[in-house]
Amino acid sequence: MKLSTIFVQALLVPLALAAAAPKLEKKVSYDGYKVFRISTHHDGAIIKEKLAPFAAVPFNLNTEEHLDVAIPPQDLAAFKALNLETEVLHENLGADIAEEGKFAAYDGPSAQAVPSLNWFNSYHSYADHVTFFSDLQGAFPQNSELITAGTSVQGRSIFGIHLWGSGGKGSKPAVYFHGTVHAREWITAKVVEYIAYNLLVQYSTNATVKTILDKYDFYILPFVNPDGFVYTQTNDRLWRKNRQTRSGSSCVGTDINRNWPYKWELTNGASTNPCAETYKGVAAGDTPENKGLVAFTKSLAAGKGIKLYIDWHSFGQYILLPYGYDCSARAANHARQTTLASGVASRIAQSYGTRFTYGPSCSTLYATTGSSVDYLTDVSKAELAWTIELRPTGSSSSGFILPAAQILPSAIEQWEGMTYLLTTM
């Protein structure tokens, strides 16, 4: 426990320093913003052109079928005058953000020294997430350790947990999960936390879980973008990128998932505009986060190899296979990956009927360059490398502001999908 306490304190130092620093930025308010889903009829460019005069905030990058966008109150009348085909997703985005932000107090470990499942009834602060992982590891010291995979722009550790079974630490191929790559995608941390929780809590009582953890070493990083996540809780709930500044630009942030040093130089899958949501950076792998992640990933690949990598995102309900950089490219084991993705989608649907679409990333959703999945597939030689886009999708979608009541159902259905995958792959 002493080691865990030191670990927690080290992780929270940047947060404490940030809290002590003067607040130079006003918190972004979304009060009165209304979020619409606009049917694009396969011509999103025309819709975007019509929205150009407004201070609109886009939610989705793939606009082939629809565009989800937040319209500020001062633009609502002019927006309605466009007579677009729309559905309302949020009547008042600010009110829904406020409701989501009613964090429950973390009540710590139970009498059995295990964190309570109540953790998954609410979203939490970054500090509470750090403590949760420390408590979880402290309850199972023989099968886990806290790990770091580099540091962020602002000096926060990219922390996580390493889990293993009867073979001992580092003796099996790696299963490797990333969460909160994009800061506003809060549900991703909760889902990977639920997976880690179940692997440890059920190891001694569930034969299937024991088989899984005895077969693989798990490396789970809940916050690949810790600075961005903290910023979503202090300044702007819809922030996506990291918090890196660049010389010559007043815009902040690089998209960590467009900065991996593989196919980074290609066009049309990322932006060279520092103000864009998908800004790729100045050079391949030039963010502090990517430098740490690449080094950590190389160490896993050089060890027992990487069996499975999943980059968890939201939203849209997709299981995305390689590749993002080329819509015609396919992994060497594409047929096998497709079969497994189909099985995972079917298992996910058994819990609550949630439907996930699966297929190659570029042809199923949109092009991406400098992405983790492409790097893990071709450079790290991971046998399986996927992106999973979590809830929600469809009409009445809540987008990134997924209600707290959906945390546990989302986590449960993913646990079911992963149980299938981890026993089948």
Side-chain angles (χ1 to χ4, degrees):
M1 286 301 291
K2 183 176 181 182
L3 177 60
S4 296
T5 300
I6 293 172
F7 184 87
V8 171
Q9 291 173 343
L11 289 175
L12 292 180
V13 165
L15 189 61
L17 292 175
K23 300 295 183 183
L24 300 178
E25 295 183 54
K26 183 179 179 181
K27 187 170 185 176
V28 176
S29 172
Y30 292 99
D31 290 346
Y33 277 67
K34 204 167 185 174
V35 181
F36 297 90
R37 170 159 290 178
I38 307 168
S39 297
T40 59
H41 300 291
H42 307 287
D43 204 342
I46 288 180
I47 302 297
K48 288 180 179 179
E49 186 176 338
K50 291 181 178 181
L51 296 178
F54 306 144
V57 181
F59 273 37
N60 59 320
L61 298 178
N62 178 25
T63 60
E64 182 71 12
E65 296 181 356
H66 63 263
L67 172 62
D68 296 345
V69 62
I71 303 295
Q74 68 270 19
D75 290 332
L76 285 173
F79 173 79
K80 290 176 182 178
L82 295 176
N83 291 317
L84 300 173
E85 185 180 335
T86 65
E87 296 177 74
V88 176
L89 306 185
H90 291 273
E91 283 287 351
N92 185 336
L93 180 59
D96 290 340
I97 288 174
E99 182 64 28
E100 178 200 46
K102 293 178 180 177
F103 300 158
Y106 173 44
D107 50 13
S110 66
Q112 291 75 36
V114 178
S116 167
L117 271 174
N118 290 337
W119 172 259
F120 299 100
N121 293 335
S122 168
Y123 294 103
H124 292 86
S125 69
Y126 176 74
D128 277 356
H129 281 281
V130 173
T131 304
F132 171 84
F133 264 84
S134 179
D135 289 345
L136 185 63
Q137 189 278 327
F140 300 94
Q142 302 306 313
N143 293 93
S144 66
E145 65 179 354
L146 297 172
I147 56 174
T148 60
T151 56
S152 67
V153 171
Q154 297 175 347
R156 292 181 176 88
S157 293
I158 300 174
F159 75 92
I161 194 166
H162 172 199
L163 317 176
W164 62 83
S166 59
K169 181 172 70 172
S171 64
K172 305 296 182 181
V175 173
Y176 182 29
F177 293 160
H178 283 183
T180 327
V181 176
H182 294 141
R184 59 195 177 190
E185 298 167 10
W186 288 10
I187 185 60
T188 63
K190 286 293 184 177
V191 165
V192 300
E193 285 168 347
Y194 188 80
I195 293 169
Y197 182 94
N198 277 284
L199 286 170
L200 288 176
V201 170
Q202 297 189 44
Y203 178 67
S204 62
T205 60
N206 184 309
T208 299
V209 173
K210 179 171 172 46
T211 297
I212 291 170
L213 198 51
D214 285 347
K215 192 173 183 179
Y216 303 109
D217 274 54
F218 285 78
Y219 303 84
I220 299 176
L221 307 178
F223 295 101
V224 167
N225 182 8
D227 299 345
F229 178 72
V230 170
Y231 192 77
T232 64
Q233 297 194 332
T234 60
N235 290 79
D236 184 355
R237 176 61 185 86
L238 296 182
W239 187 259
R240 169 185 165 97
K241 301 181 285 183
N242 76 354
R243 294 296 300 163
Q244 188 170 10
T245 57
R246 299 280 184 172
S247 177
S249 175
S250 60
C251 294
V252 177
T254 300
D255 186 340
I256 295 171
N257 202 38
R258 300 296 187 277
N259 190 245
W260 284 77
Y262 183 68
K263 304 297 182 181
W264 177 91
E265 71 284 354
L266 299 182
T267 59
N268 301 322
S271 178
T272 57
N273 178 0
C275 301
E277 295 277 46
T278 58
Y279 177 54
K280 65 195 294 184
V282 175
D286 70 347
T287 67
E289 292 87 355
N290 280 92
K291 289 175 182 177
L293 292 168
V294 166
F296 185 77
T297 303
K298 285 181 176 179
S299 71
L300 296 183
K304 297 297 180 178
I306 300 171
K307 180 73 174 183
L308 169 67
Y309 168 77
I310 296 180
D311 193 6
W312 300 86
H313 288 261
S314 73
F315 60 99
Q317 295 173 198
Y318 291 96
I319 301 170
L320 301 174
L321 316 179
Y323 291 97
Y325 75 88
D326 184 337
C327 288
S328 62
R330 299 291 183 267
N333 62 348
H334 172 71
R336 175 63 175 157
Q337 294 208 46
T338 300
T339 298
L340 289 170
S342 174
V344 171
S346 295
R347 181 64 67 86
I348 288 171
Q350 289 179 14
S351 296
Y352 301 97
T354 314
R355 300 295 175 182
F356 275 68
T357 301
Y358 57 90
S361 181
C362 183
S363 58
T364 303
L365 194 55
Y366 49 70
T368 57
T369 51
S371 73
S372 63
V373 165
D374 291 356
Y375 181 93
L376 266 289
T377 299
D378 282 359
V379 179
S380 303
K381 306 301 180 184
E383 187 171 327
L384 306 172
W386 296 357
T387 296
I388 293 185
E389 298 274 358
L390 298 167
R391 292 184 181 197
T393 192
S395 60
S396 301
S397 167
S398 51
F400 302 109
I401 318 304
L402 189 70
Q406 291 197 42
I407 295 172
L408 199 52
S410 185
I412 288 170
E413 67 193 10
Q414 292 304 317
W415 170 249
E416 290 299 320
M418 287 302 101
T419 301
Y420 167 85
L421 180 60
L422 294 164
T423 55
T424 308
M425 67 185 188

Short mmCIF file of all heavy atoms in Angstrom, two decimals, residues 243-275:
data_model
loop_
_atom_site.label_atom_id
_atom_site.label_comp_id
_atom_site.label_asym_id
_atom_site.label_seq_id
_atom_site.Cartn_x
_atom_site.Cartn_y
_atom_site.Cartn_z
N ARG A 243 -2.88 19.02 -24.87
CA ARG A 243 -2.80 20.44 -24.53
C ARG A 243 -1.44 21.04 -24.94
O ARG A 243 -0.94 21.96 -24.30
CB ARG A 243 -3.03 20.61 -23.02
CG ARG A 243 -4.44 20.25 -22.57
CD ARG A 243 -5.49 21.14 -23.18
NE ARG A 243 -5.27 22.55 -22.81
CZ ARG A 243 -5.82 23.57 -23.44
NH1 ARG A 243 -6.60 23.38 -24.50
NH2 ARG A 243 -5.58 24.80 -23.03
N GLN A 244 -0.91 20.54 -26.02
CA GLN A 244 0.39 20.99 -26.51
C GLN A 244 0.27 22.31 -27.27
O GLN A 244 -0.61 22.48 -28.11
CB GLN A 244 0.98 19.92 -27.43
CG GLN A 244 2.42 20.16 -27.86
CD GLN A 244 2.98 18.93 -28.55
OE1 GLN A 244 2.27 17.99 -28.86
NE2 GLN A 244 4.28 18.95 -28.78
N THR A 245 1.16 23.25 -26.97
CA THR A 245 1.22 24.50 -27.73
C THR A 245 2.29 24.36 -28.81
O THR A 245 3.24 23.57 -28.68
CB THR A 245 1.56 25.69 -26.82
OG1 THR A 245 2.79 25.44 -26.14
CG2 THR A 245 0.45 25.91 -25.79
N ARG A 246 2.13 25.14 -29.86
CA ARG A 246 3.06 25.10 -30.99
C ARG A 246 3.54 26.51 -31.31
O ARG A 246 2.75 27.46 -31.32
CB ARG A 246 2.38 24.51 -32.22
CG ARG A 246 1.86 23.08 -32.04
CD ARG A 246 2.95 22.06 -32.19
NE ARG A 246 2.43 20.70 -32.10
CZ ARG A 246 3.14 19.62 -32.34
NH1 ARG A 246 4.42 19.73 -32.70
NH2 ARG A 246 2.62 18.41 -32.22
N SER A 247 4.81 26.64 -31.59
CA SER A 247 5.38 27.93 -31.96
C SER A 247 4.71 28.47 -33.21
O SER A 247 4.52 27.74 -34.20
CB SER A 247 6.89 27.79 -32.20
OG SER A 247 7.45 29.01 -32.62
N GLY A 248 4.32 29.73 -33.17
CA GLY A 248 3.73 30.36 -34.34
C GLY A 248 2.23 30.19 -34.46
O GLY A 248 1.64 30.68 -35.42
N SER A 249 1.61 29.50 -33.50
CA SER A 249 0.16 29.30 -33.55
C SER A 249 -0.44 29.57 -32.19
O SER A 249 0.10 29.16 -31.16
CB SER A 249 -0.18 27.87 -33.99
OG SER A 249 -1.58 27.66 -33.92
N SER A 250 -1.60 30.20 -32.19
CA SER A 250 -2.32 30.44 -30.94
C SER A 250 -3.24 29.27 -30.60
O SER A 250 -3.79 29.20 -29.49
CB SER A 250 -3.17 31.71 -31.05
OG SER A 250 -4.12 31.60 -32.10
N CYS A 251 -3.38 28.34 -31.53
CA CYS A 251 -4.23 27.18 -31.29
C CYS A 251 -3.48 26.13 -30.48
O CYS A 251 -2.27 25.96 -30.62
CB CYS A 251 -4.70 26.59 -32.62
SG CYS A 251 -5.80 27.68 -33.53
N VAL A 252 -4.22 25.43 -29.66
CA VAL A 252 -3.63 24.46 -28.73
C VAL A 252 -4.07 23.05 -29.13
O VAL A 252 -5.21 22.83 -29.52
CB VAL A 252 -4.08 24.75 -27.29
CG1 VAL A 252 -3.55 23.70 -26.32
CG2 VAL A 252 -3.63 26.15 -26.87
N GLY A 253 -3.14 22.12 -28.98
CA GLY A 253 -3.51 20.71 -29.05
C GLY A 253 -3.17 20.00 -30.34
O GLY A 253 -3.28 20.55 -31.44
N THR A 254 -2.76 18.74 -30.18
CA THR A 254 -2.51 17.81 -31.27
C THR A 254 -3.36 16.57 -31.03
O THR A 254 -3.52 16.13 -29.89
CB THR A 254 -1.03 17.42 -31.34
OG1 THR A 254 -0.25 18.61 -31.54
CG2 THR A 254 -0.75 16.44 -32.48
N ASP A 255 -3.89 16.02 -32.09
CA ASP A 255 -4.64 14.77 -31.98
C ASP A 255 -3.65 13.62 -31.82
O ASP A 255 -2.92 13.29 -32.77
CB ASP A 255 -5.51 14.58 -33.23
CG ASP A 255 -6.44 13.37 -33.14
OD1 ASP A 255 -6.19 12.48 -32.32
OD2 ASP A 255 -7.41 13.34 -33.92
N ILE A 256 -3.61 13.03 -30.65
CA ILE A 256 -2.66 11.95 -30.36
C ILE A 256 -2.85 10.78 -31.33
O ILE A 256 -1.89 10.11 -31.70
CB ILE A 256 -2.81 11.50 -28.90
CG1 ILE A 256 -2.40 12.64 -27.95
CG2 ILE A 256 -1.98 10.26 -28.62
CD1 ILE A 256 -2.71 12.36 -26.51
N ASN A 257 -4.08 10.56 -31.77
CA ASN A 257 -4.34 9.44 -32.67
C ASN A 257 -4.19 9.80 -34.15
O ASN A 257 -4.68 9.10 -35.02
CB ASN A 257 -5.73 8.85 -32.42
CG ASN A 257 -5.83 7.43 -32.93
OD1 ASN A 257 -4.89 6.65 -32.81
ND2 ASN A 257 -6.98 7.08 -33.51
N ARG A 258 -3.51 10.90 -34.42
CA ARG A 258 -3.06 11.22 -35.78
C ARG A 258 -1.55 11.48 -35.78
O ARG A 258 -1.00 11.93 -36.77
CB ARG A 258 -3.77 12.46 -36.33
CG ARG A 258 -5.28 12.36 -36.42
CD ARG A 258 -5.75 11.29 -37.39
NE ARG A 258 -7.19 11.34 -37.55
CZ ARG A 258 -8.08 10.78 -36.74
NH1 ARG A 258 -7.66 10.09 -35.68
NH2 ARG A 258 -9.38 10.86 -36.97
N ASN A 259 -0.90 11.13 -34.68
CA ASN A 259 0.52 11.49 -34.50
C ASN A 259 1.44 10.28 -34.41
O ASN A 259 2.65 10.43 -34.30
CB ASN A 259 0.65 12.36 -33.23
CG ASN A 259 2.01 12.98 -33.05
OD1 ASN A 259 2.72 12.68 -32.10
ND2 ASN A 259 2.39 13.86 -33.97
N TRP A 260 0.89 9.06 -34.51
CA TRP A 260 1.75 7.87 -34.45
C TRP A 260 2.68 7.83 -35.67
O TRP A 260 2.29 8.20 -36.77
CB TRP A 260 0.89 6.60 -34.39
CG TRP A 260 0.27 6.38 -33.04
CD1 TRP A 260 -0.82 7.02 -32.52
CD2 TRP A 260 0.72 5.47 -32.04
NE1 TRP A 260 -1.08 6.57 -31.25
CE2 TRP A 260 -0.16 5.60 -30.93
CE3 TRP A 260 1.76 4.55 -31.96
CZ2 TRP A 260 -0.01 4.86 -29.77
CZ3 TRP A 260 1.90 3.80 -30.81
CH2 TRP A 260 1.03 3.96 -29.72
N PRO A 261 3.92 7.37 -35.48
CA PRO A 261 4.91 7.42 -36.56
C PRO A 261 4.77 6.28 -37.57
O PRO A 261 5.70 5.50 -37.79
CB PRO A 261 6.25 7.37 -35.80
CG PRO A 261 5.94 6.57 -34.58
CD PRO A 261 4.54 6.95 -34.20
N TYR A 262 3.61 6.21 -38.19
CA TYR A 262 3.39 5.25 -39.27
C TYR A 262 2.31 5.80 -40.20
O TYR A 262 1.20 6.12 -39.74
CB TYR A 262 2.97 3.88 -38.73
CG TYR A 262 2.80 2.85 -39.82
CD1 TYR A 262 3.90 2.39 -40.54
CD2 TYR A 262 1.54 2.36 -40.14
CE1 TYR A 262 3.75 1.46 -41.56
CE2 TYR A 262 1.38 1.42 -41.16
CZ TYR A 262 2.49 0.97 -41.86
OH TYR A 262 2.34 0.06 -42.88
N LYS A 263 2.64 5.95 -41.46
CA LYS A 263 1.75 6.54 -42.46
C LYS A 263 1.33 7.95 -42.07
O LYS A 263 0.32 8.47 -42.58
CB LYS A 263 0.53 5.65 -42.70
CG LYS A 263 0.86 4.22 -43.10
CD LYS A 263 1.61 4.14 -44.42
CE LYS A 263 1.90 2.70 -44.82
NZ LYS A 263 2.65 2.61 -46.10
N TRP A 264 2.09 8.57 -41.20
CA TRP A 264 1.79 9.94 -40.75
C TRP A 264 1.88 10.93 -41.89
O TRP A 264 1.13 11.91 -41.95
CB TRP A 264 2.77 10.31 -39.63
CG TRP A 264 2.63 11.72 -39.12
CD1 TRP A 264 1.86 12.13 -38.09
CD2 TRP A 264 3.29 12.88 -39.63
NE1 TRP A 264 1.98 13.50 -37.90
CE2 TRP A 264 2.86 13.97 -38.84
CE3 TRP A 264 4.20 13.12 -40.65
CZ2 TRP A 264 3.31 15.28 -39.05
CZ3 TRP A 264 4.65 14.41 -40.89
CH2 TRP A 264 4.20 15.48 -40.08
N GLU A 265 2.78 10.68 -42.81
CA GLU A 265 3.07 11.65 -43.88
C GLU A 265 1.97 11.68 -44.95
O GLU A 265 1.93 12.61 -45.77
CB GLU A 265 4.41 11.32 -44.52
CG GLU A 265 4.44 10.07 -45.39
CD GLU A 265 4.45 8.76 -44.59
OE1 GLU A 265 4.54 8.83 -43.34
OE2 GLU A 265 4.37 7.69 -45.21
N LEU A 266 1.09 10.71 -44.97
CA LEU A 266 0.05 10.66 -45.99
C LEU A 266 -0.98 11.77 -45.76
O LEU A 266 -1.15 12.27 -44.65
CB LEU A 266 -0.64 9.29 -45.99
CG LEU A 266 0.25 8.08 -46.28
CD1 LEU A 266 -0.58 6.81 -46.28
CD2 LEU A 266 0.97 8.25 -47.62
N THR A 267 -1.69 12.12 -46.80
CA THR A 267 -2.70 13.18 -46.71
C THR A 267 -4.10 12.60 -46.63
O THR A 267 -4.31 11.40 -46.84
CB THR A 267 -2.60 14.10 -47.94
OG1 THR A 267 -2.80 13.33 -49.13
CG2 THR A 267 -1.24 14.79 -48.00
N ASN A 268 -5.04 13.45 -46.31
CA ASN A 268 -6.49 13.14 -46.30
C ASN A 268 -6.95 12.33 -45.11
O ASN A 268 -8.14 12.03 -45.00
CB ASN A 268 -6.92 12.43 -47.59
CG ASN A 268 -6.65 13.25 -48.84
OD1 ASN A 268 -6.82 14.47 -48.82
ND2 ASN A 268 -6.20 12.61 -49.91
N GLY A 269 -6.05 11.98 -44.19
CA GLY A 269 -6.48 11.26 -43.00
C GLY A 269 -6.25 12.04 -41.72
O GLY A 269 -6.51 11.54 -40.62
N ALA A 270 -5.75 13.26 -41.84
CA ALA A 270 -5.48 14.13 -40.70
C ALA A 270 -5.30 15.54 -41.24
O ALA A 270 -5.24 15.75 -42.46
CB ALA A 270 -4.23 13.67 -39.94
N SER A 271 -5.18 16.50 -40.34
CA SER A 271 -5.08 17.90 -40.75
C SER A 271 -3.70 18.47 -40.42
O SER A 271 -3.08 18.10 -39.42
CB SER A 271 -6.15 18.74 -40.06
OG SER A 271 -6.02 20.11 -40.41
N THR A 272 -3.25 19.39 -41.27
CA THR A 272 -2.02 20.12 -40.98
C THR A 272 -2.32 21.49 -40.35
O THR A 272 -1.40 22.26 -40.10
CB THR A 272 -1.22 20.34 -42.28
OG1 THR A 272 -2.05 21.03 -43.24
CG2 THR A 272 -0.78 19.01 -42.87
N ASN A 273 -3.58 21.76 -40.09
CA ASN A 273 -4.01 23.01 -39.47
C ASN A 273 -3.99 22.87 -37.96
O ASN A 273 -4.73 22.05 -37.40
CB ASN A 273 -5.41 23.36 -39.96
CG ASN A 273 -5.95 24.64 -39.34
OD1 ASN A 273 -5.29 25.29 -38.52
ND2 ASN A 273 -7.17 24.99 -39.70
N PRO A 274 -3.16 23.62 -37.24
CA PRO A 274 -3.07 23.48 -35.78
C PRO A 274 -4.39 23.72 -35.05
O PRO A 274 -4.55 23.29 -33.91
CB PRO A 274 -2.03 24.53 -35.38
CG PRO A 274 -1.23 24.77 -36.61
CD PRO A 274 -2.19 24.62 -37.75
N CYS A 275 -5.32 24.39 -35.71
CA CYS A 275 -6.62 24.67 -35.07
C CYS A 275 -7.62 23.54 -35.27
O CYS A 275 -8.67 23.53 -34.62
CB CYS A 275 -7.20 25.97 -35.62
SG CYS A 275 -6.16 27.42 -35.37
#
